[in-house]
Amino acid sequence: MNCPYLQNMDQQSTLDTQRLEVSLGPQHPSTHGVFQMDVVLDGEQVIRLKPVMGYLHRNHEKLMENMSWLACMPYTDRLDYFCALANNFSYALAVEKLAGIEVPERAQYLRVIMAELTRLINHIVLVGFLLNDLGAFFTPVLYAFREREKLLDLFEDVTGSRMMCNYFRFGGVKRDVPPDFILRVREIVNQFPKFLDELEELLTHNEILLSRCQNVGILPKALAVNAGITGPVLRASGIPYDIRKIDKYSIYGRFKFRVPVGEAGDVYDRYYVRILEMRESLQILEQAINEIPDGEVISKAGAQAAKMPRTLKVPKGDAYGRTEAPKGELGFYLVSDGSGKPYRYHVRAPSFINLTVLEDMCIGQKVADVIIILGSIDIVLGEVDR
Amino acid sequence: MHIPIDHILVFTSILFLIGLYGALSRRNAVGILISIEIMLNAVNVNFIAFSRSFASSPESGQIFVMFAIVLAAATAAVGLAIVLNIYRNQKTIYTDEIHLLKW
Amino acid sequence: MTLFQFLATTAFYAAMLGILIAAALCVTVRNLFHSAVFLAFTLIGIAMLYFFLQAEFIAAMQILLYVGAIMTLIVFAVMLTSRMGNPAVPQSFKNKKIVFLPLGLVGFILISAILKTPWETSEPQTAVNAVTLGKALMNQYVFPFEVVSLVLLVALIGAIVIARSE
Amino acid sequence: MLNTIDQIFIKAKQIILDILSPFLPEWMMILISIFIVIVTLCVFGPVVMMYLTLLERKFIGRMQNRYGPNRCGIFGLLQPLSDGIKMFTKEDIVPQKADPFAHFLGPITVIIPSLLVFSVIPFGRNMIPSDLSIGILFFFAVASTSTLWIFTAAWGSRNKFSLLGGMRAVAQMVSYEIPMLLSIVPALLVVGSFSTVAIVNAQEGLQWFVFTPWGLVGFILFFLTGVAEVNRCPFDLPEGESEIIAGFHTEYSGMKFALFYMAEYMNAFSVSALVTTVYLGGWQGPILPSWLWFFAKTFVLISIMMWFRGTFPRMRVDQLMGFAWRGLLPLAFINLLAAALWVHLSFPLNDILSFCILTVSVLMIYVANRKVAPKKRIYKYAYE
Amino acid sequence: MYGLGVLKGLWVTIKNFTLSYFTRKRLTTVQYPEERITLSEHARTFPILVYDESPDKLRCVACEICAKECPPKCISIVRAQDEAGKPLKQPKFFDIDYSVCMNCGICEEVCPFDSIYMDRQFELSAYERSEEFLYTKDRLAKSAEYFSKIRPETAKKVEEKRKAKEK
């Protein structure tokens, strides 16, 4: 395995065991997609680790420069393919900020409900795959998938497709929800805590999990802030930074919910903070279902822009819309020269930025820990490579 | 199952000689240790063969073999530890290249 | 000479032949790891011999201690001291022919002495099972038993101290 | 009537011998009787393995709220057959860099101990392939060689992941062999002989060793170390899929991989068979035929192993070693002491004394490992 | 106590095992080819063209709005002409490359003449990629009855709108 980057390594001085240069990936069973890590091992200890990315680069940002504003929307589903609606949300916010389109009340509530349901899906799937990296033979993943199916069926009825939803439009959402939507969301919200309790009973106090995850891959507070980490990884290191509370974008200001914060910043904290976040999302969903008003689902200008996308006039200028996506702060920086096509379209992908600290967390850990540290950061290659 | 004793003795002496040949002709220290193990085993077979047909108390041969096995384990452990230490400092375990008394 | 005895003796001689071949290979083969594996085969062959000589406990001891423990030690030593995938360096001295001279001499003397002496073999007594061995160990050989455990302890500590990396 | 069912296999063998005896010379008959036993074992081993894989996939499937394989055959009963055919037809690739001799040797030598070990297990009343006077010791001697063969397989395939897997396998097996041997010694102490038949006879009626205090601790110890020795779930580090792909059998495909796969399941079967023989009274049981009792108990133990596989994450290398050296080994020594006391004292006193010795020692070990044991955490909330 | 978490984990899996024999909630497999999940009203896969009476009289008037608006540009339309070369109000060729289409549903939204809608047929495997997935006009055409069968509400709304427009 000749890893070019590691070639200039000095020959090892004392022999304890030979220095192994192992490249984990790109087709490695547990790197969540095509992601390669060149790891220098001394026995089981990791001395140096270099992530190699770009295998899934699809030229997303350049592609958007000759698409109309509406045509970009279905492509945002493909960024973080686990939570399509969260990507739609921040892209819609950015364009609305740029074009100054208002969103009616009912659409705001529908957007919040959809975003929080996506957060549930993302967190349970992450917990499942983290346990799968630890070695639990697919049991937590399949429990998570059992719950996820219910949510995906709901998405299929509302948006038309299970994962590639393409449901948000500038000024609201594409179409109103089926009549029994509120009933089904209420049923999911009531039944989800029971599932979470069962999952916690299986995992949280499991001694093997405790000993494998505690004090592993510690991310100190200072490093987390300097590296620009956002999302549950940052909150697990002890910094209560949640864009829903800071920006209070859309109508998050009306809901009362708490933000869980860890203190050690290791893999166990990142795992448990996400479980607590799921419980908070359920609170938001509870309040959102009770208060959702009736009324139109998309504003007059929005509907007209959706029907005839050519007529959408986006004035010259730039805007940065950001939301608290399940993986962190997902931001869209859009520059418009008034020509109906974005002049510049940049995505601030949380997984990509959270990945920069992977080496600092992995130095000194064992090979088995590198895999679960990577799993705990929760990266999706669609968003990392764009 | 009557096996004349001298057949076994001839066999063990040949085995001993093979071990001796390995010990003398090998350059690699671990190779020498392997050949010494063969020689030790040849001796053990002798013990068992004799104890079966001569000894007044038949189990004395077997006890000797047990002690021999245990001591072989001890020598192997210490021998390999020394070889490892030599390899760490000298980067070689070829006996003809290890000629510095102090490094 | 019932068939059973005929089968047993042929098996015995076959085992002896097999051991000699494995030992010869173990000593001559260039790759050190192969010689370690052939050593394992010789040890298992010798354990089979012990079974034929009705020393079952010793045979089990041989497999358990030699192949289970000492071979693992040797294989680890082989792995630690040879770079993975290094070219096979000639394992033996250039002028290894010279070794055959003393070997032939010693061999000739030894084997001729064995064949000449008249071994009056008495009939083998009852088979020795683990119980008599245990009693002998605890009554007659209790002192060497304790001393051997001490020797093992010293060897263990010595090996750890020498092989410990600073 | 019950006795005939109990001895049905022996009678069947006798019938076959009687049919053949007029035609063949006398010395041939001995060979035939040995040959029948060997053939049944060599057929019984792989068949058990095939249906253990199916049982495991269905059992774990149901644990994960899904059906197990149910497409080939009625309830998926032909699934092992199709797996076997797939294994046969898959091309068996030898990596170019691999050392052909060791790579070829790996699977053969791994399968031999797992088959040899069956010869010592008493499947039913006088249904033991070969009653060696050193039964248990033979089992451990052969099982301990598998460490070496796993390492040859790992070293032979010249690939970094399998080397890591090989090193882990050797380290794990060496450090779990000692508690395993020590957890058996109390039973041998009480019975006084190595032969498995003697051990089973000593557990007459319902006096299984597991009901004695030292027996319970010995059973748990032996079962845990058995699971570790066989590289099955919480200890399946050598082929930790998520980290080092498939550990020591990464570079094997086709029939060679099938041999590794078969060896793993046969080892699991033989270890649980030995646990039933030593601690759960082998084939001792009230009314049912002896071999049925034996298979029922072994089946329960194997399903516990599969239950572990469906639930637990994997332990890391150093935790695995710590668990063995700090947890199981001291307990094994103390268990030996308690069993010795139990043997020498009379009935009421020995149970009480050994019971309190063991509970005190378990608590002491637990306290000694407190600082290592992970602690539970409480989490604060911002924006109350 | 140290070992409690491990035992609780075992309890959860064995509970799931036993319950899977009783409640459907704990056994969620749908045996695909035999049992099928009924797709909902708005489920969308690939676009189709709707016609009223006969397949060659499509509702589509070849205005090419959907071709312009389609993000991956997988629709290609050629307008029909009568002998004198005057462009007619229906397409001569209307191809959708199903292997490029990412079933986003934008063409359905922007079509002013309710002629292109999203079908729900997803078992479309074929042996050969280039020709087989390039759906021509006649393969795309589907009758209005088929459309109202798969999407009853939208078909009803479209009918009312068309009647209102005719009056």
Side-chain angles (χ1 to χ4, degrees):
Chain A
M1 301 280 180
N2 43 21
C3 320
Y5 162 77
L6 308 167
Q7 222 51 48
N8 48 35
M9 279 277 304
D10 53 327
Q11 271 306 335
Q12 83 276 10
S13 54
T14 66
L15 158 108
D16 12 52
T17 45
Q18 260 171 318
R19 293 228 169 152
L20 280 177
E21 287 150 27
V22 176
S23 115
L24 300 174
Q27 70 298 337
H28 188 275
S30 65
T31 46
H32 304 267
V34 266
F35 173 73
Q36 182 184 349
M37 292 183 278
D38 289 348
V39 185
V40 175
L41 290 180
D42 166 15
E44 287 264 342
Q45 213 81 17
V46 170
I47 302 166
R48 193 181 300 238
L49 178 138
K50 176 178 182 309
V52 176
M53 290 169 271
Y55 289 97
L56 199 60
H57 179 59
R58 299 162 293 189
N59 200 3
H60 177 84
E61 293 176 357
K62 185 66 186 167
L63 210 61
M64 294 307 123
E65 277 163 17
N66 49 31
M67 294 272 172
S68 74
W69 293 99
L70 178 66
C72 296
M73 184 63 85
Y75 283 93
T76 54
D77 299 337
R78 269 87 177 161
L79 271 175
D80 169 1
Y81 37 77
F82 267 113
C83 20
L85 285 161
N87 310 339
N88 289 359
F89 200 166
S90 43
Y91 177 65
L93 270 185
V95 174
E96 275 150 16
K97 193 182 284 184
L98 199 56
I101 306 170
E102 291 76 33
V103 180
E105 276 302 298
R106 183 173 171 84
Q108 296 276 24
Y109 275 91
L110 281 181
R111 284 185 169 185
V112 164
I113 291 173
M114 283 309 186
E116 290 311 319
L117 287 176
T118 342
R119 196 182 310 280
L120 289 184
I121 288 183
N122 178 60
H123 284 344
I124 44 175
V125 163
L126 163 87
V127 164
F129 278 114
L130 179 62
L131 263 298
N132 198 20
D133 292 347
L134 273 165
F137 181 67
F138 282 106
T139 314
V141 175
L142 282 157
Y143 289 160
F145 275 14
R146 180 189 70 201
E147 294 312 313
R148 180 167 172 253
E149 280 313 311
K150 298 193 182 89
L151 290 163
L152 291 187
D153 291 346
L154 183 71
F155 280 1
E156 182 163 42
D157 298 350
V158 171
T159 66
S161 152
R162 290 161 57 89
M163 285 174 75
M164 297 300 149
C165 306
N166 184 14
Y167 179 57
F168 283 47
R169 291 293 175 270
F170 312 127
V173 280
K174 179 171 170 181
R175 128 184 4 102
D176 201 347
V177 286
D180 65 349
F181 173 77
I182 298 300
L183 218 61
R184 287 172 66 174
V185 175
R186 192 179 298 282
E187 190 261 335
I188 286 177
V189 166
N190 296 346
Q191 169 265 339
F192 207 84
K194 281 200 283 298
F195 158 71
L196 271 185
D197 298 343
E198 188 188 318
L199 199 68
E200 277 208 54
E201 200 183 322
L202 174 69
L203 299 177
T204 308
H205 302 300
N206 186 330
E207 273 69 23
I208 302 174
L209 180 80
L210 284 173
S211 53
R212 278 271 329 248
C213 290
Q214 290 201 340
N215 307 327
V216 163
I218 291 174
L219 179 61
K221 221 182 249 193
L223 176 63
V225 170
N226 297 341
I229 309 288
T230 53
V233 181
L234 182 68
R235 289 191 283 277
S237 298
I239 295 154
Y241 177 84
D242 185 332
I243 300 166
R244 291 175 294 179
K245 285 285 182 184
I246 293 168
D247 277 6
K248 290 193 171 45
Y249 58 90
S250 167
I251 46 167
Y252 272 102
R254 299 185 195 153
F255 301 115
K256 201 172 64 55
F257 64 98
R258 304 176 301 180
V259 173
V261 176
E263 79 268 4
D266 52 14
V267 171
Y268 188 75
D269 270 3
R270 287 194 277 276
Y271 150 77
Y272 201 67
V273 156
R274 288 191 171 104
I275 291 210
L276 296 178
E277 257 181 34
M278 277 196 260
R279 292 186 189 279
E280 294 312 315
S281 301
L282 289 172
Q283 301 303 331
I284 299 174
L285 280 170
E286 192 83 37
Q287 296 162 35
I289 303 170
N290 300 341
E291 296 154 9
I292 185 163
D294 291 338
E296 55 169 23
V297 161
I298 189 162
S299 68
K300 209 38 87 247
Q304 211 256 343
K307 190 69 184 162
M308 277 85 77
R310 291 269 163 257
T311 62
L312 176 66
K313 279 290 155 278
V314 179
K316 201 189 288 289
D318 63 352
Y320 178 67
R322 63 176 187 165
T323 61
E324 179 65 31
K327 294 192 172 36
E329 174 193 332
L330 175 67
F332 280 83
Y333 175 67
L334 308 171
V335 174
S336 150
D337 58 0
S339 72
K341 284 190 170 65
Y343 177 76
R344 171 73 174 104
Y345 167 106
H346 171 69
V347 180
R348 186 233 186 247
S351 324
F352 176 69
I353 292 170
N354 292 354
L355 207 53
T356 49
V357 281
L358 180 64
E359 176 165 24
D360 308 295
M361 290 201 267
C362 288
I363 299 289
Q365 306 287 339
K366 300 233 173 340
V367 180
D369 300 337
V370 167
I371 301 292
I372 41 174
I373 293 166
L374 176 71
S376 69
I377 305 174
D378 185 10
I379 58 162
V380 161
L381 264 303
E383 200 173 43
V384 168
D385 297 342
R386 286 191 296 279
Chain B
M1 208 210 17
H2 178 62
I3 306 280
I5 192 78
D6 41 16
H7 292 190
I8 305 178
L9 293 186
V10 167
F11 157 72
T12 44
S13 46
I14 298 170
L15 194 63
F16 184 83
L17 290 180
I18 291 175
L20 195 59
Y21 167 75
L24 294 180
S25 75
R26 278 264 180 188
R27 289 179 64 203
N28 187 331
V30 180
I32 294 171
L33 276 171
I34 288 179
S35 330
I36 290 171
E37 291 301 326
I38 294 182
M39 289 153 73
L40 281 169
N41 273 304
V43 168
N44 285 351
V45 175
N46 254 351
F47 268 125
I48 295 289
F50 276 119
S51 85
R52 210 166 70 79
S53 44
F54 285 102
S56 57
S57 63
E59 70 280 1
S60 58
Q62 300 198 356
I63 287 176
F64 261 82
V65 169
M66 270 175 29
F67 288 153
I69 292 179
V70 164
L71 287 177
T75 44
V78 175
L80 292 171
I82 293 169
V83 162
L84 208 62
N85 220 339
I86 294 172
Y87 184 79
R88 174 173 308 131
N89 301 331
Q90 294 270 333
K91 294 287 168 300
T92 162
I93 42 168
Y94 293 118
T95 41
D96 51 8
E97 285 167 8
I98 307 169
H99 41 66
L100 300 174
L101 273 182
K102 198 167 169 343
W103 53 78
Chain C
M1 170 73 108
T2 68
L3 160 96
F4 208 70
Q5 285 197 329
F6 173 72
L7 267 183
T9 40
T10 43
F12 191 86
Y13 286 112
M16 280 211 266
L17 191 67
I19 294 167
L20 287 184
I21 295 168
L25 277 176
C26 160
V27 167
T28 48
V29 86
R30 300 168 65 88
N31 180 334
L32 202 59
F33 184 73
H34 291 183
S35 83
V37 169
F38 282 124
L39 175 67
F41 286 151
T42 41
L43 297 177
I44 291 176
I46 289 171
M48 272 201 287
L49 281 196
Y50 291 158
F51 266 114
F52 284 122
L53 297 171
Q54 272 98 32
E56 284 167 355
F57 184 74
I58 296 300
M61 269 306 174
Q62 158 101 349
I63 297 182
L64 191 65
L65 282 180
Y66 256 117
V67 182
I70 298 181
M71 274 315 296
T72 321
L73 252 169
I74 290 176
V75 160
F76 254 65
V78 163
M79 189 195 72
L80 287 178
T81 50
S82 73
R83 239 175 244 301
M84 223 166 79
N86 63 339
V89 167
Q91 290 295 336
S92 48
F93 292 106
K94 282 168 293 307
N95 45 16
K96 60 176 183 284
K97 294 290 171 291
I98 189 78
V99 171
F100 280 106
L101 190 63
L103 270 186
L105 197 63
V106 166
F108 176 70
I109 297 166
L110 205 60
I111 292 181
S112 55
I114 292 170
L115 292 182
K116 279 198 187 54
T117 56
W119 308 94
E120 66 291 332
T121 58
S122 61
E123 263 318 301
Q125 296 83 354
T126 61
V128 176
N129 64 22
V131 177
T132 50
L133 267 182
K135 284 200 175 60
L137 260 180
M138 279 305 138
N139 308 344
Q140 204 181 1
Y141 295 93
V142 74
F143 180 67
F145 183 72
E146 299 308 333
V147 166
V148 156
S149 63
L150 262 182
V151 164
L152 260 184
L153 185 63
V154 165
L156 188 68
I157 298 168
I160 292 174
V161 162
I162 296 172
R164 184 170 46 81
S165 69
E166 300 74 27
Chain D
M1 175 48 190
L2 276 185
N3 195 354
T4 48
I5 304 170
D6 187 22
Q7 300 303 322
I8 195 153
F9 294 106
I10 299 163
K11 289 213 166 29
K13 182 176 148 190
Q14 206 49 45
I15 292 162
I16 298 171
L17 288 180
D18 296 347
I19 296 165
L20 286 174
S21 61
F23 308 105
L24 299 169
E26 187 271 335
W27 54 271
M28 182 72 92
M29 291 318 295
I30 307 166
L31 272 188
I32 297 277
S33 71
I34 299 169
F35 188 68
I36 291 173
V37 171
I38 292 171
V39 161
T40 41
L41 273 185
C42 284
V43 163
F44 164 78
V47 163
V48 156
M49 166 256 164
M50 282 158 59
Y51 280 94
L52 276 185
T53 48
L54 175 67
L55 172 78
E56 169 153 49
R57 287 170 69 177
K58 286 198 92 66
F59 185 51
I60 291 184
R62 279 287 173 164
M63 265 199 262
Q64 295 166 349
N65 305 326
R66 59 183 169 83
Y67 294 102
N70 59 2
R71 288 295 156 138
C72 327
I74 319 129
F75 292 107
L77 287 177
L78 296 184
Q79 180 69 28
L81 221 62
S82 59
D83 287 351
I85 294 166
K86 178 192 75 174
M87 293 286 185
F88 271 107
T89 48
K90 272 262 173 70
E91 188 219 352
D92 141 31
I93 303 151
V94 178
Q96 190 250 349
K97 240 180 359 151
D99 160 5
F101 172 68
H103 189 267
F104 175 75
L105 202 66
I108 304 172
T109 44
V110 161
I111 199 87
I112 291 174
S114 48
L115 266 176
L116 260 180
V117 150
F118 279 112
S119 68
V120 186
I121 296 169
F123 293 99
R125 186 167 289 112
N126 50 49
M127 267 165 67
I128 177 164
S130 69
D131 179 9
L132 288 173
S133 71
I134 50 151
I136 296 272
L137 202 57
F138 177 79
F139 179 95
F140 283 118
V142 168
S144 76
T145 57
S146 60
T147 325
L148 184 64
W149 308 132
I150 285 183
F151 194 80
T152 25
W155 178 259
S157 38
R158 271 289 183 284
N159 138 355
K160 290 187 174 55
F161 290 133
S162 49
L163 183 67
L164 272 177
M167 277 204 276
R168 284 181 179 179
V170 169
Q172 170 182 334
M173 284 193 167
V174 162
S175 59
Y176 273 88
E177 221 164 284
I178 301 152
M180 189 173 195
L181 285 171
L182 280 175
S183 64
I184 281 289
V185 169
L188 305 180
L189 192 90
V190 167
V191 170
S193 127
F194 279 121
S195 121
T196 44
V197 175
I199 292 174
V200 173
N201 293 342
Q203 302 172 42
E204 203 48 51
L206 274 178
Q207 309 145 356
W208 298 347
F209 284 149
V210 86
F211 298 136
T212 60
W214 57 268
L216 186 65
V217 172
F219 169 73
I220 295 166
L221 267 176
F222 189 32
F223 187 70
L224 278 182
T225 41
V227 167
E229 200 67 28
V230 156
N231 301 340
R232 274 195 69 88
C233 194
F235 311 96
D236 63 349
L237 231 29
E239 73 271 337
E241 290 79 18
S242 52
E243 299 111 34
I244 40 172
I245 307 181
F248 55 87
H249 47 71
T250 323
E251 295 295 345
Y252 290 91
S253 57
M255 209 42 215
K256 287 185 179 156
F257 178 73
L259 285 180
F260 274 111
Y261 199 52
M262 194 189 292
E264 191 209 326
Y265 278 96
M266 274 204 270
N267 283 342
F269 180 80
S270 55
V271 161
S272 29
L274 196 75
V275 172
T276 41
T277 317
V278 174
Y279 281 104
L280 293 178
W283 40 265
Q284 303 280 8
I287 0 145
L288 294 176
S290 63
W291 43 269
L292 199 60
W293 269 110
F294 174 79
F295 282 114
K297 291 179 200 162
T298 319
F299 170 73
V300 162
L301 280 179
I302 288 181
S303 43
I304 292 175
M305 276 193 197
M306 291 171 187
W307 190 9
F308 281 178
R309 179 155 191 207
T311 325
F312 291 146
R314 198 174 294 121
M315 293 175 98
R316 210 177 42 203
V317 179
D318 46 346
Q319 289 152 2
L320 193 90
M321 299 301 162
F323 184 59
W325 295 103
R326 272 199 295 267
L328 298 183
L329 198 55
L331 196 59
F333 280 125
I334 293 163
N335 190 22
L336 191 55
L337 175 71
L341 276 178
W342 187 85
V343 166
H344 285 294
L345 299 174
S346 65
F347 170 67
L349 196 58
N350 63 10
D351 275 353
I352 305 149
L353 200 60
S354 59
F355 186 74
C356 53
I357 289 176
L358 286 175
T359 39
V360 163
S361 57
V362 166
L363 286 178
M364 267 195 319
I365 292 172
Y366 176 63
V367 165
N369 291 336
R370 275 210 58 72
K371 64 175 173 19
V372 171
K375 281 162 280 308
K376 297 200 173 45
R377 292 180 178 166
I378 46 144
Y379 286 85
K380 315 192 293 303
Y381 284 91
Y383 303 99
E384 232 0 89
Chain E
M1 217 278 286
Y2 189 72
L4 207 58
V6 161
L7 299 180
K8 268 200 286 188
L10 286 174
W11 162 248
V12 167
T13 34
I14 204 67
K15 185 174 73 174
N16 272 305
F17 173 74
T18 38
L19 285 183
S20 74
Y21 285 98
F22 304 106
T23 60
R24 188 79 183 128
K25 195 163 66 65
R26 298 273 183 185
L27 189 68
T28 50
T29 338
V30 170
Q31 309 276 12
Y32 168 63
E34 292 86 16
E35 308 157 17
R36 283 169 185 259
I37 300 176
T38 59
L39 288 177
S40 68
E41 159 74 15
H42 296 297
R44 60 170 192 266
T45 52
F46 289 99
I48 49 168
L49 292 174
V50 180
Y51 63 84
D52 291 331
E53 291 84 21
S54 69
D56 53 14
K57 285 217 339 303
L58 294 165
R59 288 186 188 163
C60 170
V61 292
C63 63
E64 290 184 26
I65 291 180
C66 59
K68 284 197 280 294
E69 286 311 322
C70 170
K73 300 287 182 289
C74 64
I75 303 175
S76 60
I77 302 169
V78 172
R79 202 180 187 104
Q81 288 162 345
D82 61 2
E83 325 72 44
K86 192 165 65 57
L88 288 168
K89 272 201 168 304
Q90 76 255 34
K92 191 145 83 72
F93 296 108
F94 193 111
D95 308 342
I96 295 183
D97 187 346
Y98 269 16
S99 65
V100 170
C101 168
M102 58 178 185
N103 19 31
C104 60
I106 284 186
C107 50
E108 174 183 324
E109 282 177 60
V110 296
C111 172
F113 301 97
D114 320 318
S115 90
I116 188 165
Y117 278 98
M118 303 306 278
D119 188 4
R120 64 177 50 170
Q121 193 46 272
F122 54 86
E123 286 134 338
L124 301 169
S125 57
Y127 281 104
E128 207 276 331
R129 208 151 46 119
S130 51
E131 283 86 20
E132 214 119 339
F133 276 121
L134 190 67
Y135 276 60
T136 54
K137 186 166 62 145
D138 38 20
R139 276 172 74 184
L140 286 171
K142 288 277 185 340
S143 69
E145 296 78 29
Y146 171 78
F147 176 59
S148 59
K149 185 162 61 59
I150 55 172
R151 294 172 68 168
E153 280 102 15
T154 29
K156 238 195 330 313
K157 271 206 228 65
V158 163
E159 284 319 311
E160 283 134 19
K161 199 152 62 76
R162 289 178 72 84
K163 285 209 181 46
K165 212 151 55 165
E166 260 122 32
K167 269 202 279 319

